[in-house]
Amino acid sequence: MPTVKEILSTMDYGPAPESDTHVKAWLDQHADGFRHFIGGAFVPSSDGTVFEVFNPARDTLLAKVATGTGQDIDAAVRAARAAFPAWSASPGHVRARYLYALARQIQKRERFLAVLETLDNGKSIRETRDIDVPLVARHFYHHAGWAQLLDSEFPGHTALGVCGQIIPWNFPLLMLAWKIAPALAAGNTVVLKPAEFTPLTALAFAEICSEIGLPRGVVNIVSGDGATGAALVEHPEVNKIAFTGSTEVGRIIRKATAGSGKKLSLELGGKSPFIIFEDADLDAAVEGVVDAIWFNQGQVCCAGSRLLVQEGVRDRFLMKLRRRMDTLRVGDPLDKSVDMGAIVAPVQLERIRALVEQGVSEGGTLWQSAGHLPAKGSFFPPSIFIDVEPAATVCEVEIFGPVAVMMSFRTPDEAVQLANHSRYGLAATIWLENINRALETAAKLKAGVIWINSTNLFDAGAAFGGYRESGFGREGGREGLIEYLAPAFLKPSASGAPAFKRAASAPVVPTPVATAFQAGEPHIDRTAKLYIGGKQTRPDSGYSYAVHGTKGETIGLAGLGSRKDIRNAVEAAAKASAWSSASAHNRAQVLYYIAENFAARAPEFKARLQALGHSQAEANAEVETAVRRMFFYAGYADKYDGRVHATKARHLTVALHEAFGVVGIVCPEASPLLAFVSLVMPAIAMGNRVVVVPSTLCPLLATDFYQILDTSDVPGGVVNIVTGERAELSKTLADHDEVAALWFAGPQAEVEAAERSSAGNLKYVWAIPGETMDWGADEAGQGVTYLRQATQIKTIWVPYGE
Amino acid sequence: MTSQTQILQKEPAPPITALTAASHNGTLRIMIKPSKSKSKSGKSAADAAASVQAAPPISSALSLVANPHGSAFPRATGCKLNLDWFESIQVNATAAETRAATLTTRRTVKKEYQAAWLVRALQCVDLTTLAGDDTPGRVHRLAAKARRPLREDIVAALGLAETPPKVGAVCVYPTMVGPAVRALQGSGIPVASVATGFPTGLTPLPQRLAEIKYAVDMGAGEIDIVINRAHVFSQDWSALYDETCAMREACGAAHMKAILATGDLKTLRNVYKASMVAMMGGADFIKTSTGKEDVNATLPVSLIMLRALRDFGDYTGQMIGFKPAGGLRTAKDALNWLILMKEELGLRWMQPDLFRIGASTMLSDIERQLEHYVTGRYAATTHHALA
């Protein structure tokens, strides 16, 4: 022990360890192994297997934990299913009391949970104590409120059922809270699988559930590995899967759940840009980098890992950053003066090392902080690659470690271009003091969360989640809660029958088609074309196909669209981006104009409907409904606006509703006019550009419609119509990486293929029971749900103060 | 603006040499205390110290600051007014607050380390009395405390009997400089005097300069000047610069601490700019507050001043000290500010030649904490000598 006199010459911090006595005692109590929490009881694995959990900072064994088998998952899902009716039917106030009890109990265990998390995960006690655990308590408080307010805030919505939740190891307890709190508030029951590296706080949480008397089976926790998770994903009785983890596993889950009817939300990887403009407070931005990439050892999905620095301040910024790096302290995470703890496991450490070596071998210049690392345990120093090009591996791949890459840019446009040049879109950070440019940049960035002059801010009241291959669905706040609810009409009805009479399905065959000779003067031939980029175009195949009436007679010909037509249509839609940035009022005007022109030509559409078997009254009603619906979405175009969330003091936290961009719409055979109108109008009202595959058997109502579009000031490329064989066309749409979302309202049998194909770029797929629902009924065919599905949330954090 | 490469090519700050326990005796500090003999000898004591220490060659125009705790360094000279260095500076207030708020949650010192840090804080204290009812008797009592800030049994228990800690300076009004100098005779503790129309700085410039000269003549080794805030509000940097230069000249060999009165300046951008101009004008220290503003030293304000100080060092190679004043009352405050100094500027700036704490009541809390460290029992203030 150094003397006071000696310390006076070094002025070192010295050790400041947080005590782990209580946690050690708790682990000792469970020395015979931790068990699953199923149906309110702690039970061993069905085959008795266990796995070992280590403290990555000391390479010591912490506990043995039951490995979940398929049988364990089945038991847990059954327990959750059994608990669901009573839990979902219990008054919101009752659920609120339970959530409040969870919040309070977590607060009473704050230090215990923080120390346990640090031992299990390796992250610093400063973070678990000041960030993770307080956010966990806050999440349960916030959702106690939602449980109470559910009926008044979400009328017409019901719980989904049993939710399967799979969480990662980087924020073990916090991710548990993000999953369980909203699910319970909405009336669902859950089966949660914690990460294999870090199951202990989840098991401590199970004890808390037991202590507060949460009804049996409402929360079930099954520990295990990837196989355990797969069993949960594949279980037929699960209604929703919520997953946070790697994009790679997200893709597997997307494919595994394709066509299953399971609702899905994915929070995946990122390579988030961190932009420093020349008018930034450079010292503040340096601290931002510390909190971005050296927070939680960089094992953060939204870590600002791609630093983009404007050329004029590059050198000065780097000098400051390098100086700051050397003051970072890496070491025993239980020490209160440590900035960076251990990497979660040796295998992760190896992965980081390998990627860094690759970065060096590809010519990157690597800087690492000067501080020394502990001899034992999985530690890696704060690191940064400078002078790397966007093509380098370390610039593209998510390293998931304390390693940033830095590039420079010349102009704001170039910054946005570099920032958006990624397959991911989780988060972005901007440092600058010019509010105009700040908001302009925030608007242009393709990311679900944007922090201005701050970074890695989280709050239970603000939505978190990504664009693009960073996943879909949101967590936190109102936007996150609705992921655990469904509007009544989307619950597939067992007795659903096609709502529209039509001819027995006829094969789609290329012309020529033999049609009966008609007496009298010949009709003027009228062949429907495709509608791409505002132009009527012949299909690339050069073929048309016959469209039949109710008696099997040919009533017209439609273009036989193919892969290439979809390609052209998507290209046209991608180019029409001005529609997305047009003012909402402008879009409303266009939608009203569509309604005006459509109404003027109502008789034509009514006649077409009658030719397809509608009675006159039915045809009248359908056209009237279509006009009303156009007005509905024209009216909403400038009213479905975002929200300002009450998060931290002096932080403007804005949730914007942004269009996806290019949305593919696959129409059902049912209600070929009304379904088309009901799907296209909300999508374009919100600023999307759409590629529509209309009903295969009755495409003429859609092709008649392009003349309305032509005369209503709809810019070319905003609505593109490709007729033809739905299955083939929708597969191409689902495959297309430029398509950001897909609304699939076709036959249930084709959903699986569409969802499976969507895994390519992880586009969001909204599966609508279009063949069985009543499009004429407003509670099903129209509503805010459509607008919600047409938009994604971008949460922008703007701290203010002078 | 100066090109970035130039900044990067700047010579690094003088290296920190190994510290020795023997250097804690503070004797060298006496040598820089300007005295009336200076005008007679025509050579400052600091110059003498420089020649003795055989420091690396430096411009003959520079004098060396003799330092009882670390290596000597050339005394700051200021520089010409470079508007480019600060006019377009950006300071993000919320980010500064966040950094300040989390600094003290990221670092802590415990046990013997905490004891040592508190001793260091005590060595950095400018023990201050600036009240309308100050008298020579009051100053005398303060000086006694300054000489012996810790009870002897505590000093012994800390293992510091050979080199008992003393405070950094005693800070008084100009008319109290004489009594203070007499009371501190032979202690090696310099007397600091506020001057220039303290606390508002709104008396005419000739009077302000005369006040400095009076305090220096009375034996003050350090002068805490106040800036004219009006020049900041009107962004009249050349006026502020000229006044500061004149004051520095008036100080002569006495060190000049420039009080910015940050509570009046309000914005952190103003704080940064005023810091820069004060340093260009020749301040040896920049100091937050008079203790008389509504808001005195805060961590965010201190953070921004330290960043300015560091930037100034990057541009000029000069080393400037920092003094938070007012609002620091507890031992915990002292530790927080020491953490700030270590994190932002490093070990070299944790020593009394580059860091001072302006405080009057903090000492007694430090004393109580140290007694607790030594005895394991909580202490009563009445068991310690009054300041």
Side-chain angles (χ1 to χ4, degrees):
Chain A
M1 194 173 87
T3 64
V4 167
K5 200 170 187 173
E6 285 159 358
I7 298 167
L8 274 167
S9 63
T10 65
M11 294 303 285
D12 280 343
Y13 284 111
E18 176 67 48
S19 162
D20 59 1
T21 312
H22 295 294
V23 171
K24 283 268 170 67
W26 182 76
L27 290 170
D28 287 345
Q29 282 168 26
H30 294 83
D32 59 337
F34 285 91
R35 299 166 171 208
H36 306 310
F37 181 59
I38 296 176
F42 292 91
V43 297
S45 174
S46 67
D47 63 4
T49 54
V50 294
F51 62 98
E52 293 179 326
V53 176
F54 293 90
N55 175 351
R58 293 178 189 167
D59 291 339
T60 50
L61 181 70
L62 282 176
K64 290 177 180 166
V65 177
T67 310
T69 62
Q71 216 175 315
D72 297 332
I73 288 290
D74 188 55
V77 172
R78 276 198 239 181
R81 175 61 61 199
F84 177 70
W87 180 251
S88 58
S90 64
H93 177 63
V94 170
R95 294 201 302 274
R97 283 181 179 219
Y98 282 115
L99 285 161
Y100 178 69
L102 288 171
R104 297 289 293 130
Q105 199 74 352
I106 285 161
Q107 282 188 317
K108 285 180 245 173
R109 296 272 172 83
E110 263 180 347
R111 195 51 57 91
F112 172 86
L113 291 168
V115 172
L116 179 61
E117 194 80 303
T118 289
L119 287 179
D120 198 8
N121 168 278
K123 65 168 71 186
S124 73
I125 186 70
R126 200 272 302 183
E127 291 178 10
T128 56
R129 180 197 64 202
D130 294 351
I131 298 171
D132 292 59
V133 177
L135 281 173
V136 169
R138 158 100 180 109
H139 221 79
F140 280 100
Y141 269 105
H142 181 77
H143 285 89
W146 280 125
Q148 180 74 46
L149 305 175
L150 199 71
D151 291 344
S152 53
E153 289 294 317
F154 293 93
H157 285 73
T158 56
L160 302 170
V162 176
C163 299
Q165 307 181 316
I166 300 170
I167 58 172
W169 46 257
N170 57 345
F171 294 90
L173 190 61
L174 183 57
M175 290 301 102
L176 174 147
W178 282 23
K179 296 281 183 288
I180 289 184
L184 263 48
N188 302 279
T189 55
V190 306
V191 177
L192 178 131
K193 189 200 88 71
E196 189 181 1
F197 292 145
T198 56
L200 298 181
T201 43
L203 298 166
F205 178 80
E207 292 186 356
I208 288 175
C209 291
S210 183
E211 284 162 14
I212 66 141
L214 191 70
R216 281 168 198 195
V218 170
V219 168
N220 304 275
I221 293 174
V222 181
S223 46
D225 53 16
T228 316
L232 182 55
V233 167
E234 282 156 17
H235 199 288
E237 279 291 304
V238 170
N239 301 95
K240 174 187 169 102
I241 292 291
F243 171 76
T244 297
S246 71
T247 294
E248 182 192 354
V249 176
R251 237 179 224 120
I252 294 170
I253 292 176
R254 170 70 281 183
K255 286 179 187 161
T257 55
S260 67
K262 290 186 177 99
K263 196 168 171 175
L264 189 58
S265 52
L266 300 174
E267 204 273 87
L268 308 174
K271 189 80 180 175
S272 297
F274 188 105
I275 309 173
I276 296 142
F277 287 96
E278 60 196 3
D279 60 337
D281 176 345
L282 293 185
D283 288 297
V286 165
E287 295 304 328
V289 173
V290 171
D291 287 337
I293 191 66
W294 299 316
F295 169 56
N296 197 17
Q297 297 72 249
Q299 302 168 133
V300 184
C301 49
C302 54
S305 53
R306 278 191 299 146
L307 309 188
L308 303 169
V309 187
Q310 199 154 8
E311 280 185 4
V313 293
R314 176 195 177 275
D315 292 350
R316 192 154 171 71
F317 176 77
L318 261 183
M319 178 187 72
K320 285 172 179 286
L321 181 64
R322 190 162 195 181
R323 186 149 56 190
R324 178 70 174 95
M325 278 172 84
D326 288 341
T327 66
L328 290 169
R329 289 165 56 90
V330 184
D332 178 6
L334 274 181
D335 189 301
K336 292 175 209 165
S337 297
V338 151
D339 293 306
M340 254 179 50
I343 303 297
V344 71
V347 58
Q348 283 298 316
L349 181 63
E350 274 318 306
R351 186 176 175 276
I352 294 166
R353 280 187 181 147
L355 279 166
V356 167
E357 273 166 31
Q358 192 174 350
V360 171
S361 70
E362 286 177 15
T365 305
L366 177 69
W367 282 0
Q368 296 189 312
S369 80
H372 76 284
L373 303 181
K376 238 183 140 187
S378 299
F379 292 93
F380 197 84
S383 308
I384 182 169
F385 277 103
I386 60 166
D387 303 329
V388 280
E389 299 306 326
T393 305
V394 286
C395 288
E396 285 182 349
V397 175
E398 182 179 33
I399 297 174
F400 223 66
V403 187
V405 297
M406 204 202 82
M407 289 165 272
S408 56
F409 65 88
R410 295 163 297 176
T411 61
D413 283 350
E414 192 176 44
V416 169
Q417 189 189 10
L418 283 166
N420 283 342
H421 198 79
S422 167
R423 59 177 60 230
Y424 298 112
L426 189 49
T429 299
I430 318 169
W431 289 85
L432 75 178
E433 292 297 313
N434 176 321
I435 189 147
N436 273 46
R437 185 153 21 86
L439 296 180
E440 165 82 357
T441 308
K444 284 180 173 169
L445 289 173
K446 300 282 181 213
V449 184
I450 293 177
W451 293 293
I452 297 176
N453 292 327
S454 56
T455 201
N456 278 339
L457 296 176
F458 309 102
D459 187 80
F464 182 91
Y467 281 29
R468 298 176 165 172
E469 290 180 33
S470 291
F472 45 77
R474 291 292 180 267
E475 295 187 296
R478 172 182 291 272
E479 298 88 356
L481 187 71
I482 203 158
E483 299 289 337
Y484 287 93
L485 291 165
F489 80 92
L490 282 182
K491 291 230 150 187
S493 66
S495 61
F500 177 64
K501 290 171 276 182
R502 60 155 194 267
S505 69
V508 175
V509 288
T511 49
V513 175
T515 49
F517 286 107
Q518 289 174 324
E521 202 175 353
H523 288 288
I524 296 177
D525 179 74
R526 188 175 166 206
T527 299
K529 298 196 180 71
L530 311 184
Y531 187 66
I532 295 174
K535 294 192 177 65
Q536 301 172 26
T537 50
R538 292 200 181 83
D540 179 82
S541 67
Y543 286 102
S544 295
Y545 70 99
V547 178
H548 303 283
T550 43
K551 300 182 190 76
E553 78 284 18
T554 300
I555 59 168
L557 296 175
L560 186 65
S562 67
R563 289 174 56 82
K564 287 186 180 168
D565 298 306
I566 291 288
R567 178 200 65 189
N568 296 344
V570 171
E571 203 173 306
K575 275 189 195 144
S577 59
W579 179 252
S580 300
S581 48
S583 78
H585 172 62
N586 186 296
R587 290 197 297 266
Q589 281 182 296
V590 170
L591 262 72
Y592 280 123
Y593 201 15
I594 292 173
E596 180 186 327
N597 287 323
F598 177 77
R601 295 174 64 168
E604 216 178 291
F605 283 90
K606 287 175 185 169
R608 181 73 88 184
L609 284 165
Q610 281 176 269
L612 288 164
H614 272 54
S615 70
Q616 193 175 353
E618 285 168 341
N620 284 347
E622 180 136 353
V623 168
E624 287 313 311
T625 304
V627 174
R628 252 194 306 114
R629 222 151 263 182
M630 290 169 192
F631 262 64
F632 181 85
Y633 293 114
Y636 253 122
D638 61 355
K639 292 174 193 67
Y640 186 65
D641 36 22
R643 283 172 182 269
V644 178
H645 290 302
T647 55
K648 297 155 86 83
R650 293 199 300 148
H651 280 70
L652 189 66
T653 310
V654 187
L656 296 184
H657 293 163
E658 277 198 348
F660 276 98
V662 179
V663 174
I665 294 179
V666 179
C667 294
E669 294 300 342
S671 304
L673 173 66
L674 203 50
F676 176 89
V677 168
S678 303
L679 293 167
V680 171
M681 289 299 133
I684 65 171
M686 292 296 100
N688 296 289
R689 296 90 70 187
V690 298
V691 176
V692 194
V693 177
S695 155
T696 299
L697 299 175
C698 310
L700 299 180
L701 284 154
T703 55
D704 290 345
F705 204 85
Y706 63 59
Q707 296 195 346
I708 308 286
L709 298 172
D710 261 345
T711 54
S712 306
D713 292 347
V714 179
V718 172
V719 179
N720 304 277
I721 301 169
V722 181
T723 56
E725 199 161 16
R726 183 189 47 245
E728 186 202 336
L729 298 178
S730 64
K731 168 89 167 62
T732 310
L733 264 181
D735 271 336
H736 202 305
D737 286 347
E738 195 72 40
V739 176
L742 179 68
W743 289 6
F744 190 91
Q748 195 58 37
E750 293 171 21
V751 172
E752 182 180 348
E755 289 188 334
R756 193 176 289 278
S757 294
S758 75
N761 69 339
L762 282 163
K763 64 175 65 64
Y764 174 62
V765 179
W766 185 30
I768 310 163
E771 299 291 7
T772 54
M773 62 185 243
D774 181 1
W775 288 95
D778 285 348
E779 54 277 17
Q782 139 183 328
V784 170
T785 296
Y786 288 81
L787 302 173
R788 194 174 78 74
Q789 297 285 348
T791 50
Q792 49 192 341
I793 304 292
K794 178 187 270 183
T795 304
I796 305 178
W797 291 75
V798 193
Y800 59 90
E802 172 73 50
Chain B
M1 180 163 173
T2 314
S3 86
Q4 303 302 330
T5 45
Q6 269 184 334
I7 295 161
L8 289 174
Q9 285 162 1
K10 273 268 177 290
E11 288 286 310
I16 302 158
T17 57
L19 302 175
T20 62
S23 71
H24 286 283
N25 60 20
T27 48
L28 283 178
R29 175 55 72 179
I30 302 167
M31 300 176 70
I32 66 155
K33 199 180 97 180
S35 63
K36 286 169 191 163
S37 69
K38 184 213 161 195
S39 51
K40 290 171 195 159
S41 71
K43 189 181 178 192
S44 80
D47 285 339
S51 57
V52 169
Q53 297 205 354
I58 48 162
S59 154
S60 59
L62 300 177
S63 60
L64 273 187
V65 174
N67 169 33
H69 302 279
S71 62
F73 59 89
R75 184 179 174 190
T77 56
C79 62
K80 73 179 180 62
L81 180 65
N82 286 295
L83 297 177
D84 288 352
W85 292 357
F86 63 87
E87 265 201 327
S88 60
I89 189 67
Q90 302 292 351
V91 181
N92 189 281
T94 35
E97 283 166 15
T98 303
R99 169 65 174 153
T102 57
L103 242 174
T104 54
T105 63
R106 288 172 201 253
R107 296 287 183 268
T108 186
V109 279
K110 299 291 181 195
K111 300 185 175 164
E112 64 275 14
Y113 288 87
Q114 188 177 83
W117 281 51
L118 289 176
V119 169
R120 173 51 49 81
L122 189 149
Q123 292 172 319
C124 293
V125 163
D126 278 5
L127 196 58
T128 302
T129 184
L130 293 169
D133 57 0
D134 285 349
T135 60
R138 159 81 182 126
V139 168
H140 199 270
R141 194 172 78 194
L142 198 71
K145 185 71 178 173
R147 284 169 181 266
R148 215 170 62 102
L150 273 182
R151 230 171 46 209
E152 261 162 41
D153 59 312
I154 301 175
V155 172
L158 290 169
L160 300 173
E162 287 171 29
T163 53
K166 301 182 182 98
V167 300
V170 167
C171 183
V172 294
Y173 268 117
T175 50
M176 293 297 138
V177 171
V181 167
R182 282 192 293 279
L184 289 168
Q185 199 79 48
S187 68
I189 300 169
V191 174
S193 172
V194 297
T196 73
F198 182 91
T200 61
L202 287 175
T203 50
L205 184 62
Q207 277 85 336
R208 280 185 274 157
L209 297 178
E211 204 184 350
I212 294 175
K213 289 187 181 114
Y214 170 84
V216 171
D217 286 347
M218 295 305 288
E222 304 175 358
I223 304 293
D224 290 20
I225 61 132
V226 290
I227 64 161
N228 184 338
R229 280 75 111 182
H231 293 326
V232 178
F233 297 135
S234 59
Q235 311 276 293
D236 189 348
W237 305 120
S238 60
L240 181 60
Y241 174 78
D242 291 346
E243 280 193 9
T244 315
C245 289
M247 291 174 186
R248 166 69 192 260
E249 199 186 343
C251 285
H255 276 200
M256 182 169 86
K257 307 196 196 99
I259 303 175
L260 307 181
T262 56
D264 286 346
L265 303 186
K266 299 293 182 195
T267 74
L268 294 176
R269 266 188 314 282
N270 276 346
V271 168
Y272 184 96
K273 293 174 181 178
S275 299
M276 271 291 183
V277 176
M279 290 185 283
M280 289 170 182
D284 295 286
F285 266 73
I286 49 175
K287 175 176 169 185
T288 59
S289 323
T290 64
K292 313 291 184 190
E293 290 85 52
D294 290 344
V295 180
N296 294 296
T298 65
L299 281 172
V301 158
S302 302
L303 175 69
I304 297 312
M305 290 174 70
L306 294 186
R307 286 175 176 171
L309 189 162
R310 193 168 59 201
D311 288 345
F312 186 75
D314 288 341
Y315 284 121
T316 65
Q318 298 180 28
M319 294 167 77
I320 309 289
F322 174 66
K323 178 177 172 185
L328 282 73
R329 291 192 180 83
T330 63
K332 179 73 180 147
D333 287 334
L335 295 176
N336 288 347
W337 258 269
L338 277 168
I339 288 171
L340 175 73
M341 298 310 287
K342 184 170 166 86
E343 288 299 307
E344 292 295 321
L345 295 172
L347 177 63
R348 188 62 190 80
W349 265 266
M350 298 173 83
Q351 296 162 35
D353 58 347
L354 286 169
F355 179 54
R356 292 288 178 79
I357 299 168
S360 45
T361 58
M362 175 189 271
L363 201 54
S364 69
D365 193 42
I366 291 180
E367 219 178 341
R368 286 195 309 144
Q369 301 305 327
L370 285 173
E371 181 174 351
H372 176 250
Y373 168 75
V374 165
T375 65
R377 292 182 297 111
Y378 290 104
T381 35
T382 50
H383 291 193
H384 299 285
L386 268 179

